Amino acid sequence: MFKDQKISYSGVQPSGNLTIGNYLGALKNFKDFARDYKCFYCVVDEHAITVRQVPADLRRRTYETLALYMACGLDPEKSTLYVQSHVREHAELAWVLDCFTMFGELSRMTQFKDKSAKHADNVNAGLFTYPVLMAADILLYQTDVVPVGIDQKQHVELTRDIAVRFNQLYPDTFTLPEPYIAKNVRKIMSLADPTKKMSKSDENVNAVVYILDDKDTIIRKFRRAVTDSDSEIRASEDKPGVSNLISIYGGFTGKSVEETEKEFAGLGYGEFKTAVGEACAAALAPVQQRFRDYMADKAQLEAQMKRGAEEASWYASRTLGKVRKKLGFVQL
Ligand code: ATP
Ligand code: LTN
């Protein structure tokens, strides 16, 4: 589709207020690909409805997520920024790929296991086939690399398996994608329980730092973060609280674990937590300012959505056309 250009593709669900986990694990890295790759970044609203959403909130967050993409430095002139439900090919390819995905494979997905435990009253088929829709997102654009947090690596690997299976039957249909996981930042953990992922759908707002939190709130949340019983600022498996803060500090300042341990050697948790809060607030301030500017012009955001959807549809329809033909669907 793009002869000499590699493709980067990713998506974020408009299922809650975005967190610094989303920022450090995903959004912040998106723009690193913009120079050398053709980039597609999607607001995956169809994925979000696998758990119940309030329609007005879903709508507002869809605008906000698009505005955050731009506030994080993505230029809509260069990257294709769009909303998943505006491009019908996603749902259509997902159905086809459903027929090339095994029940056993989907049963092994840890996100399905976690989410079905969390939403035991609504274990719907969409929650189960969620990774197939994600595979459709990725494969429609002949993607080479998918920048995501480590929790999504399993889904990208499944996407690859589905693509290999399809290509074996119908050669040269899909490019095989690779996940790209940011180096220093693995998984950002909850500030209240550092053995649990920081998640935008966490009910405890103090466990989560949101990208749009103001400076005082950010510092207060970090000061309350759960740490460990001794007072040494050192990363290790038996110190998940401090290790998480070191990882967050590194994500915002670019400092390695060793540099951070050295910088805070001999100092107490109080000082370290304040420094993490300050570094986080300083890095997010310009993002928040740009976000407010973009949100102030809804018509412009809608124009952006429309343009993104038109661009994305053009590419998506080419891949889907190829798939339909290969499968033996009658072309009219
Ligand atoms: P939800 O709570 O609704 O499941 P989420 O917070 O996990 O949502 P997603 O929209 O599913 O967010 O994720 C968007 C991107 O952010 C994905 O690439 C995901 O891997 C990354 N991400 C989410 N949470 C974290 C985290 N705590 N640490 C690192 N990366 C994360
Ligand atoms: N499943 C991802 C969101 C997502 C995505 C994608 C990420 C949907 N489609 C395509 C990368 C590429 C999540 O839950 N974070």
Side-chain angles (χ1 to χ4, degrees), residues 60 62-71 81 83 86 291-308:
R60 174 177 49 80
T62 301
Y63 284 94
E64 287 177 352
T65 308
L66 187 80
L68 267 179
Y69 277 170
M70 295 195 281
L81 311 179
V83 177
H86 293 165
F291 171 81
R292 283 191 286 270
D293 294 343
Y294 288 124
M295 282 303 285
D297 192 348
K298 219 166 162 193
Q300 182 61 26
L301 278 177
E302 279 170 3
Q304 219 56 267
M305 281 181 191
K306 195 154 184 274
R307 173 190 160 163

Side-chain angles (χ1 to χ4, degrees), residues 13 15 21-22 115 148-149 151-152 188 197-201:
Q13 298 184 68
S15 53
N22 298 129
K115 290 218 169 169
V148 277
D151 61 302
Q152 293 300 312
I188 303 301
K197 185 182 95 152
M198 184 182 283
S199 164
K200 59 170 119 77
S201 50

Side-chain angles (χ1 to χ4, degrees), residues 9-13 44 47 111 130 134 137-138 146 148 152 155:
Y9 188 99
S10 198
V12 174
Q13 298 184 68
V44 291
H47 277 104
Q111 181 170 305
Y130 176 112
M134 177 161 162
D137 299 342
I138 295 169
V146 187
V148 277
Q152 293 300 312
H155 287 166

